[in-house]
Amino acid sequence: MSLPDYKSPGKQSSAPVQSKSQVVHLNIGGHVFSTTLGTIRKFPNSTLADLFNGSTKRMDSEGRHFIDRDGTYFRYILEYLRTEKLPSEHLQEVHKEALYYDIKPLVKAIEDTPQFFGETVGRQQFLARVPNYRENLEVIVRVARAEAIASRYSHIIVCVVRTEDDLARYNNAIDSLGTPRESVVSFGPWKAPASVEDLLDCIKTDIESKGYKVKIQPHSIDKGFLFKSYDFFYKLIFTWW
């Protein structure tokens, strides 16, 4: 009687095979998400996929995969991984998250949108040609906060000069403004097609993005001089409560 052939079981893997349909739970800076392993690994070369490829994983007290990052916009990342659908809002913020997780297709798709292109190529390149734009915004906010003591409103006078010719006229006009020259925050001149209204809109948008409530109106004065005050001077009104 012959004995049956013996076959070695071979080397067995110590780690269980992970299925793409396996459910994973994530805790991203306190924001909790549930998805599948296949969704997380949608783009294998991304940093996000790498976080689930290695043996070292950070887990929270509930056994969820933990990523120490603000998870406010991660739902947009997850939606793209599921459907490849771009978000219709918060493109700048989602773009930063896509860069962090190195999801290259999402980064490119956002950069190709008209909104992102307009912001980064059009608006930002214009503002780069306005001298001291960012510094002036900081001055406006600092002065407004200083004037907020026991007051509901702060009023900041800004001057916008579009061209070199406007700058020469401004130097004559500001002496009749009735406001100390050093208290007026001045913008311009610049070499770009964008208008004064475009710049004012940028100022308002960027200040409001910091959480402030502000409106802009022409600054009119009673004193007469040859140059209309609303040609150059505007009043930024901060509302505190």
Side-chain angles (χ1 to χ4, degrees), residues 21-218:
S21 61
Q22 176 183 337
V23 175
V24 293
H25 304 286
L26 302 92
N27 176 353
I28 304 182
H31 296 257
V32 177
F33 302 90
S34 296
T35 186
T36 65
L37 193 61
T39 297
I40 290 296
R41 293 178 175 173
K42 176 71 174 289
F43 300 104
N45 295 325
S46 68
T47 300
L48 181 62
D50 286 343
L51 293 175
F52 290 83
N53 287 334
S55 58
T56 302
K57 300 182 179 68
R58 299 181 65 181
M59 313 298 285
D60 68 6
S61 60
E62 301 295 326
R64 296 171 296 218
H65 297 269
F66 179 75
I67 299 176
D68 190 12
R69 185 171 178 82
D70 186 357
T72 302
Y73 302 102
F74 188 78
R75 64 187 180 94
Y76 298 102
I77 299 291
L78 205 53
E79 181 63 20
Y80 181 79
L81 294 177
R82 289 168 174 157
T83 66
E84 296 192 25
K85 180 181 178 182
L86 286 177
S88 59
E89 57 183 354
H90 306 300
L91 285 181
Q92 294 287 335
E93 293 82 359
V94 178
H95 181 259
K96 291 178 182 178
E97 297 306 297
L99 287 172
Y100 176 79
Y101 293 112
D102 194 24
I103 304 174
K104 293 181 176 63
L106 178 54
V107 170
K108 184 179 186 305
I110 291 177
E111 291 177 351
D112 285 343
T113 63
Q115 303 98 307
F116 193 90
F117 178 85
E119 171 68 23
T120 57
V121 177
R123 183 175 183 272
Q124 293 304 323
Q125 288 194 11
F126 158 55
L127 294 179
R129 301 182 185 187
V130 179
N132 304 314
Y133 177 78
R134 298 295 174 188
E135 294 83 351
N136 283 349
L137 289 187
E138 294 178 3
V139 171
I140 288 172
V141 171
R142 185 168 63 248
V143 174
R145 291 174 67 93
E147 293 188 357
I149 306 302
S151 175
R152 186 174 184 180
Y153 304 102
S154 294
H155 300 84
I156 311 299
I157 305 300
V158 300
C159 172
V160 182
V161 289
R162 172 70 181 79
T163 66
E164 293 290 345
D165 290 340
D166 289 340
L167 182 61
R169 297 173 61 211
Y170 153 78
N171 288 329
N172 293 326
I174 194 171
D175 292 333
S176 301
L177 185 61
T179 300
R181 181 183 290 259
E182 59 272 13
S183 67
V184 178
V185 182
S186 299
F187 292 85
W190 62 86
K191 294 182 179 179
S195 67
V196 169
E197 289 74 18
D198 294 329
L199 179 63
L200 292 172
D201 182 68
C202 290
I203 293 171
K204 185 175 186 294
T205 297
D206 288 335
I207 290 178
E208 288 181 336
S209 71
K210 300 175 183 294
Y212 297 97
K213 183 178 180 181
V214 65
K215 64 179 180 180
I216 302 177
Q217 64 186 37

